[in-house]
Amino acid sequence: MDANATYGRALSRAFGGALLFSFPLLMTMEMWSLGMAVERWRLLVFLMLTMPMLIGLSYYAGFEPTFRLKDEVMDALAAFAVGFLLSGGLLAIFGVLSLDEIGSDSALGKISLCAVPAAVGALLAGKQLGERGPGEREKAGAGPLGELFLMAVGAAFLAFNVAPTEEMIVIAYQMGPLATLLLMAVSIALLHLFVYRLGFPGETRRREAGGFLRTFVTFTAPGYGVALLMSLYLLWTFGRTDGVAVHEIATMTIVLGFPAAIGAATARLVV
């Protein structure tokens, strides 16, 4: 098949993946509000940190085969462009963006926030919507750092879907210390079950690497730490930690760490 036709097909899948992964947030009112309210320097930091994640994700599961760092960067930029175009178009159709607002600071904020999960979906399109993912060979050889990176992507993506909602704050407010500790224990237990016991990709290799204890120390504990860090970072990005007591921030982080831990544990299913 002609190279241009192949790339066009990959881009078409990228738009499909972007839609599949981003439409819950595109239709969430909190995301629209945060797009206007989030401080622009935090949004800039968020977008700047997103690019290395997209480049790494392109290496493991891009929407077309890549062989050099330049290819990874170009695919990451293409994925973000797909996410930006899709988000802008759908938000305009939904009436979230008015004609007068297009090109304004608030419009760019709304589109930029929604473009990130869409860009992740664009990069995962080859694995989820097409034939065997082009990044499968590289992914199979991921070492401990590669595994932690994939966990971080999974944690950030799943947590990002609920971090903008008010429910995270409400749940944290309703939970007492014992319930918080119990949720932490459940998160760790689920993370360990997913990476070691339920037959997901990579489980056999982890078992052969040294059994239950070593898997817990090597994958589960660092994975949960990554989930908590990603949760805290997202809460900070959305301004949820501003003017909040330390113990309340800790509780919110643990609450958001629950979906983040599941995202980290199941990252191998989608990446």
Side-chain angles (χ1 to χ4, degrees):
M1 186 181 294
D2 180 77
N4 290 331
T6 302
Y7 189 71
R9 185 180 175 190
L11 279 179
S12 298
R13 282 202 305 265
F15 273 97
L19 176 62
L20 179 65
F21 278 73
S22 67
F23 82 86
L25 290 173
L26 286 168
M27 303 179 76
T28 301
M29 187 177 297
E30 286 90 347
M31 283 295 291
W32 311 338
S33 301
L34 283 170
M36 295 185 293
V38 67
E39 294 177 89
R40 289 309 179 245
W41 70 273
R42 296 195 198 202
L43 180 60
L44 179 60
V45 170
F46 177 68
L47 294 176
M48 289 177 64
L49 292 180
T50 295
M51 286 310 300
M53 181 187 75
L54 293 178
I55 293 170
L57 192 56
S58 174
Y59 173 77
Y60 286 107
F63 58 82
E64 66 158 357
T66 53
F67 306 99
R68 299 172 300 171
L69 177 60
K70 179 182 176 181
D71 295 331
E72 317 293 357
V73 173
M74 294 303 295
D75 268 9
L77 291 173
F80 190 79
V82 166
F84 197 89
L85 289 172
L86 181 79
S87 300
L90 287 179
L91 289 176
I93 291 173
F94 295 156
V96 178
L97 301 178
S98 64
L99 289 177
D100 295 336
E101 192 180 10
I102 292 177
S104 67
D105 183 70
S106 62
L108 288 174
K110 294 175 185 177
I111 296 172
S112 296
L113 279 182
C114 293
V116 172
V120 172
L123 286 173
L124 296 179
K127 171 73 183 295
Q128 297 303 308
L129 303 180
E131 59 275 2
R132 182 178 175 87
E136 201 72 19
R137 175 182 58 81
E138 294 93 337
K139 186 182 71 173
L145 290 179
E147 291 280 358
L148 285 179
F149 170 77
L150 295 177
M151 283 184 168
V153 173
F157 179 78
L158 199 57
F160 192 85
N161 280 272
V162 292
T165 66
E166 296 292 333
E167 283 76 7
M168 291 297 99
I169 299 175
V170 173
I171 293 173
Y173 177 78
Q174 293 176 157
M175 292 178 62
L178 289 179
T180 302
L181 291 175
L182 178 60
L183 182 61
M184 181 183 292
V186 169
S187 300
I188 295 173
L190 286 175
L191 176 55
H192 189 75
L193 284 172
F194 273 83
V195 301
Y196 188 74
R197 286 287 180 185
L198 299 185
F200 288 167
E203 178 188 309
T204 301
R205 180 170 55 79
R206 295 185 193 112
R207 285 178 180 273
E208 293 173 350
F212 175 91
L213 182 59
R214 184 169 180 180
T215 300
F216 186 89
V217 173
T218 305
F219 291 101
T220 306
Y224 187 61
V226 166
L228 290 180
L229 284 175
M230 297 306 297
S231 299
L232 180 60
Y233 167 64
L234 289 174
L235 290 170
W236 173 84
T237 298
F238 295 143
R240 302 300 195 192
T241 60
D242 295 351
V244 179
V246 174
H247 73 279
E248 294 175 338
I249 294 174
T251 303
M252 286 191 295
T253 301
I254 292 170
V255 169
L256 188 57
F258 177 62
I262 296 175
T266 58
R268 275 289 192 161
L269 294 179
V270 295
V271 179

